[in-house]
Amino acid sequence: MDLTLWHNPRCSKSRQALALLEDGGHAPSVRLYLTNAPTEVEIIEVLTRLQIAPRAMMRTGETLYKDLGLKDADDTALIVAMATHPILIERPILLAGANAVIGRPPEQILTML
């Protein structure tokens, strides 16, 4: 199975998720999504895999979320915001085939294996 982890090495939960994968003998492709930001199309594809609304994939506690006034934004605006400011994307996200899972808690990624 082809695995890709949207990863932020500065995030302890993201590091834990990567360690769980590696400890289980998996070598996922790692996408440093803060420096290699996903496009709006990629975000829509991941949302489809996750089967969730855009806000559920966002870090709503981020100061930037509040600063941008996203509380009442529609789905399109949220997707644009994530593509423009990838720090708003919840992490980590594991992509596996046609499926995906947000690693909150990190052990959640094990449901994909």
Side-chain angles (χ1 to χ4, degrees):
M1 180 182 320
D2 190 30
L3 303 174
T4 300
L5 185 69
W6 285 14
H7 178 59
N8 176 356
R10 297 187 68 188
C11 171
S12 64
K13 301 296 184 200
S14 196
R15 290 192 308 269
Q16 289 172 14
L18 181 58
L20 284 170
L21 290 168
E22 291 173 340
D23 290 349
H26 302 282
S29 297
V30 174
R31 180 172 185 168
L32 301 176
Y33 71 94
L34 293 178
T35 55
N36 182 12
T39 65
E40 292 173 32
V41 170
E42 289 174 310
I43 290 169
I44 292 167
E45 289 172 357
V46 170
L47 287 167
T48 300
R49 290 180 188 188
L50 289 167
Q51 299 180 355
I52 60 174
R55 195 172 315 277
M57 195 171 107
M58 296 187 80
R59 298 177 57 79
T60 58
E62 285 286 333
T63 302
L64 184 59
Y65 180 87
K66 293 172 183 67
D67 290 349
L68 293 174
L70 297 173
K71 181 182 177 195
D72 297 318
D74 66 14
D75 287 354
T76 299
L78 296 176
I79 291 166
V80 170
M82 284 188 277
T84 306
H85 308 282
I87 191 73
L88 294 171
I89 299 171
E90 188 59 88
R91 60 189 178 248
I93 298 175
L94 180 65
L95 308 175
N99 300 308
V101 66
I102 296 175
R104 290 289 176 151
E107 294 77 16
Q108 188 68 27
I109 64 162
L110 299 177
T111 65
M112 297 292 297
L113 306 176

